[in-house]
Amino acid sequence: MTFISCFMKRYKNVAIILGLSPEDPAAIRWTSTISKLAESERVTFIHPIEVPEIPDKAKQKYPWLVEPLDKQITSEMKAVVEAHWDGFSGTELVYEVLDHKSPVLAVLKYTVSSQCDLVIVDQRGFGHDMAIRLARKAPCSVMIIPDGNDNGLERILVPTDFSEYSANALDVATAFASAEEISAIDCIHVYDVGFQAHRAAVPKEELQKMALEYAQEKHAEFTTHCDNKGVSVNMKYVHSPSMVDAVIREVNVLKSDLVVVGCRGKGTVAALLLGSNAEELLRKSPVPVIAAKSKGSGLQLINALLSD
């Protein structure tokens, strides 16, 4: 099995939550890139709208208020997509307008019913709130595109704590790199001795050295279980009290184009927990971030949340 086919299996069914602003095509262009790398079978452009409560008197006096907006919004979506789409020629493009009192729940229902592999959120159109809520709850990976970010894909950064979730993120990142013929990716492990250093008789410098050596041992063990698909991994250890600040500094220094972070995802309740570091990174990153989850994460609990 080729690396391309492995990647295609992972992201064959992609959904993008799309605003209607023609001024910011970044999300569409990123989706185009992913569709080409993955040879995606289907990309669905979704625009959720919140259904307002309209008084009966208003409906009678202004009947056009209750006319469906689907056709108009679909037409606007197609115009924006056609102006900027440059994806895989074999990808089916689908348009969905979702009516719901809660746009997030509407999107979640769609991702579950359509068995999406990846959901992409245009932050310009829907802001941090929807992006974070979807990243918490979606039963698949979520990619968030910051405002105005429209770079190419040349450098990928993966924060790692050597857990199974980091292994999943590394797998996603190396699949991207292999499909795009990028020879190496960057990994960063952030460590800190914490408040215990103030209570210990051992000098802080010695504790930091021990923490670094421990991280290097964990990395050596971690790599024995990883298939990097022939992609080299540049590993860097950074001492910092803030993982997120350290990662963002590294993004700026390396001029990274994409960050892939692992999220909890195998259990039920655990699948809905991004983790404070991952959530803060999604909010602050100046470049797109993929919150990588195993497909179907927490599906049983999500179905319970969505049931009427």
Side-chain angles (χ1 to χ4, degrees):
M1 181 178 289
T2 66
F3 296 143
I4 290 288
S5 63
C6 287
F7 193 84
M8 182 173 69
K9 184 177 180 181
R10 182 182 286 275
Y11 292 143
K12 64 181 180 181
N13 185 7
V14 178
I16 167 173
I17 317 306
L18 188 66
L20 300 177
S21 171
E23 291 83 17
D24 187 17
I28 297 173
R29 290 181 178 167
W30 270 102
T31 308
S32 298
T33 297
I34 289 172
S35 79
K36 286 190 287 189
L37 295 179
E39 297 184 356
S40 302
E41 296 175 5
R42 174 184 173 114
V43 169
T44 304
F45 296 91
I46 298 173
H47 186 79
I49 57 173
E50 193 167 349
V51 181
E53 293 289 340
I54 303 175
D56 290 337
K57 286 185 178 180
K59 292 178 183 178
Q60 294 170 5
K61 188 173 183 179
Y62 307 108
W64 54 268
L65 288 175
V66 294
E67 291 179 0
L69 295 173
D70 298 32
K71 289 185 178 180
Q72 177 184 340
I73 293 176
T74 298
S75 178
E76 291 181 30
M77 278 199 292
K78 285 183 177 179
V80 173
V81 171
E82 288 171 3
H84 303 291
W85 177 258
D86 184 31
F88 177 55
S89 60
T91 300
E92 177 189 10
L93 303 185
V94 179
Y95 298 87
E96 292 283 348
V97 179
L98 304 180
D99 298 344
H100 202 284
K101 290 183 179 180
S102 168
V104 173
L105 287 180
V107 173
L108 282 174
K109 281 188 175 182
Y110 184 85
T111 60
V112 172
S113 64
S114 300
Q115 298 183 348
C116 292
D117 303 306
L118 174 69
V119 178
I120 300 172
V121 185
D122 177 2
Q123 196 179 91
R124 180 185 179 97
F126 296 97
H128 282 97
D129 184 58
M130 173 177 278
I132 298 299
R133 290 173 68 189
L134 281 174
R136 287 175 186 157
K137 297 179 180 179
C140 60
S141 297
V142 175
M143 181 177 187
I144 297 178
I145 312 293
D147 291 357
N149 184 281
D150 201 10
N151 298 329
L153 180 57
E154 296 181 0
R155 198 143 194 177
I156 304 169
L157 178 64
V158 182
T160 179
D161 61 0
F162 313 126
S163 66
E164 61 179 300
Y165 313 116
S166 292
N168 188 32
L170 184 64
D171 185 58
V172 170
T174 51
F176 265 94
S178 180
E180 188 72 339
E181 298 184 349
I182 298 171
S183 60
I185 65 170
D186 303 299
C187 277
I188 179 174
H189 174 73
V190 182
Y191 66 96
D192 185 30
V193 295
F195 292 108
Q196 295 299 324
H198 299 290
R199 300 168 54 186
V202 182
K204 185 175 182 180
E205 292 75 14
E206 181 65 19
L207 288 175
Q208 291 177 1
K209 180 182 176 182
M210 293 169 64
L212 174 58
E213 290 173 348
Y214 177 73
Q216 291 170 334
E217 291 173 6
K218 294 293 289 183
H219 176 239
E221 180 183 345
F222 178 74
T223 55
T224 62
H225 304 292
C226 296
D227 174 14
N228 294 339
K229 307 172 183 66
V231 177
S232 299
V233 176
N234 302 321
M235 188 69 210
K236 185 172 183 178
Y237 305 91
V238 176
H239 175 253
S240 173
S242 169
M243 185 278 271
V244 174
D245 289 347
V247 171
I248 291 176
R249 280 196 300 271
E250 199 68 12
V251 165
N252 292 328
V253 169
L254 297 175
K255 295 184 173 15
S256 304
D257 302 303
L258 174 68
V259 176
V260 184
V261 60
C263 296
R264 303 179 181 97
K266 286 194 173 180
T268 53
V269 175
L272 300 186
L273 301 176
L274 268 182
S276 58
N277 282 328
E279 185 166 320
E280 187 179 357
L281 184 58
L282 288 171
R283 292 183 184 278
K284 292 183 176 180
S285 175
V287 300
V289 177
I290 292 182
K293 295 183 183 181
S294 300
K295 186 175 179 180
S297 297
L299 193 55
Q300 181 179 352
L301 186 57
I302 291 168
N303 282 327
L305 289 172
L306 296 178
S307 61
D308 294 327

